[in-house]
Amino acid sequence: MIRLEHVTKVYGKGKNTTPALSDLDLSIEKGEIFGVIGHSGAGKSTLIRCINLLERPTSGHIWIDGVDLTKLGKGALQARRRKIGMIFQHFNLLSSATVYDNIAFPLRLAKTPEKNIRTRVDELLKLVGLEAHAQKYPAQLSGGQKQRVGIARALSSDPDVLLCDEATSALDPQTTDSILKLLLDINQRFNLTIVLITHEMNVIQSICDRVAVIHQGGIVEQGPVAEVFLKPQHPITRDFITRESSHSELLDAVLAGPHSESSLAVKISFLGDKTYESIMSRTVRETGVDFAILQGTISTLKSVPYGQLIVRFDGAPDAIQQTLDKLTAKGLNVEVMES
């Protein structure tokens, strides 16, 4: 669906250049929600703006549905962009236009007949839950309502791709959840490919199928969210995940708490149906070790149940190692916590 090949973006000229993207490759499948996560300045906003050529790459190719956008002339590129919706962190609504007119704006630019515009805008108002707000102005709306207008406007031209540039970072947690649920519903209802840029791991965890981690203009890790979340390989990825799960604070507490030389602190992660099975209790009965649960959570990675325990095992070193081996063999992810 979307393919980036050797994409490089450099700002400035001569000696005053700033690299934003460096020889970046990325593939996104049709109908998936693909997340890109990175710290500020990593290049993620440049990346998403290169996908629809709002930023033209210095070199490389951008393919969507088999068409290389970098090879298109101005008119053909504008036509292609109509099938690529985009929503923004700060909404970018027309302050002097009503909700209805904001949503209708792209259709009027495309010279769509007014009767068709009315039908389409009414459909979108219903989709995003703003039927009662059609004649209000942006200043009369909450942040979440403004973003719903932005989503409706981005969908007005019936796009194949929806680009979301930090679409929830200006919202409170409760509103963020409602917007993410709306995006997930849109994805499932219309099989719409969504590319979502964020610096928040919980956003990736909530709705994304796959994720890429961007750092200093390059992709340092990518894969299915569960795989990347459970087995992060790059230090930047581990930093995002440990900050999200308060890993460092827990580790300090574990190491400071009462323990003996035969104690071992372990993080154990469960995925899918294993989250609700009594694997831990059955295993320690077999090996004879004692354990204390220091912290535990159950959540979801998109719609897949996910659990995580911080456990201290006490017993003979051989028995503890046997316990870890058995848990691993039963499909759990086991990580010894080290300072």
Side-chain angles (χ1 to χ4, degrees), residues 31-36 87 151 162 164 167-168 176-188 192-198 200-211 224-226 229 299-304:
E32 74 175 335
I33 302 179
F34 192 95
V36 179
I87 59 176
I151 292 171
L162 181 62
C164 307
T168 61
T176 291
D177 288 344
S178 71
I179 294 298
L180 293 178
K181 288 176 182 176
L182 175 59
L183 291 174
L184 182 58
D185 177 61
I186 290 168
N187 165 259
Q188 294 173 341
L192 184 66
T193 304
I194 297 178
V195 184
L196 192 152
I197 300 295
T198 185
E200 299 171 297
M201 195 65 199
N202 69 296
V203 171
I204 300 293
Q205 178 182 340
S206 296
I207 66 169
C208 292
D209 300 296
R210 292 194 299 138
V211 61
V225 171
F229 194 86
S299 186
T300 58
L301 295 174
K302 197 171 183 181
S303 58
V304 179

Side-chain angles (χ1 to χ4, degrees), residues 6-237:
H6 305 297
V7 171
T8 294
K9 176 63 180 180
V10 178
Y11 293 103
K13 293 182 179 181
K15 295 181 179 180
N16 299 317
T17 59
T18 302
L21 300 176
S22 179
D23 197 31
L24 186 146
D25 293 318
L26 194 63
S27 292
I28 299 168
E29 301 298 326
K30 182 174 178 58
E32 74 175 335
I33 302 179
F34 192 95
V36 179
I37 190 169
H39 292 299
S40 296
K44 55 188 185 295
S45 288
T46 300
L47 167 60
I48 202 169
R49 291 172 66 86
C50 279
I51 291 177
N52 60 2
L53 261 65
L54 287 179
E55 293 282 358
R56 183 169 285 273
T58 306
S59 61
H61 301 275
I62 313 287
W63 297 79
I64 297 182
D65 269 349
V67 177
D68 186 352
L69 301 191
T70 64
K71 301 293 187 183
L72 297 180
K74 184 177 179 180
L77 179 58
Q78 286 179 343
R80 279 282 168 178
R81 280 185 180 145
R82 294 192 188 105
K83 304 302 287 182
I84 306 172
M86 190 164 187
I87 59 176
F88 304 88
Q89 176 180 0
H90 296 297
F91 321 125
N92 287 18
L93 302 180
L94 301 170
S95 60
S96 60
T98 64
V99 167
Y100 181 99
D101 289 331
N102 265 282
I103 299 171
F105 183 70
L107 297 171
R108 288 178 175 144
L109 282 180
K111 302 187 185 304
T112 305
E114 198 64 33
K115 180 180 178 181
N116 295 354
I117 291 176
R118 190 178 306 111
T119 299
R120 182 61 176 156
V121 173
D122 287 344
E123 290 173 350
L124 291 168
L125 285 167
K126 183 176 181 181
L127 176 67
V128 301
L130 293 178
E131 305 101 304
H133 302 278
Q135 298 308 314
K136 289 184 178 180
Y137 290 87
Q140 297 172 285
L141 304 177
S142 67
Q145 289 169 335
K146 289 177 184 177
Q147 195 56 284
R148 286 173 182 268
V149 177
I151 292 171
R153 180 183 59 187
L155 296 176
S156 62
S157 298
D158 193 23
D160 301 316
V161 176
L162 181 62
L163 306 179
C164 307
D165 189 4
E166 296 276 12
T168 61
S169 62
L171 306 175
D172 63 75
Q174 185 176 357
T175 306
T176 291
D177 288 344
S178 71
I179 294 298
L180 293 178
K181 288 176 182 176
L182 175 59
L183 291 174
L184 182 58
D185 177 61
I186 290 168
N187 165 259
Q188 294 173 341
R189 189 180 302 192
F190 304 112
N191 196 34
L192 184 66
T193 304
I194 297 178
V195 184
L196 192 152
I197 300 295
T198 185
H199 63 270
E200 299 171 297
M201 195 65 199
N202 69 296
V203 171
I204 300 293
Q205 178 182 340
S206 296
I207 66 169
C208 292
D209 300 296
R210 292 194 299 138
V211 61
V213 183
I214 188 170
H215 178 60
Q216 295 181 346
I219 301 298
V220 297
E221 186 166 356
Q222 63 178 300
V225 171
E227 181 180 310
V228 172
F229 194 86
L230 293 179
K231 299 179 181 179
Q233 301 300 310
H234 194 275
I236 293 295
T237 314

Side-chain angles (χ1 to χ4, degrees), residues 270-279 298-300 304-307:
F270 310 73
L271 190 65
D273 293 340
K274 290 183 176 65
T275 303
Y276 304 109
E277 296 179 14
S278 55
I279 297 174
I298 293 178
S299 186
T300 58
V304 179
Y306 160 74

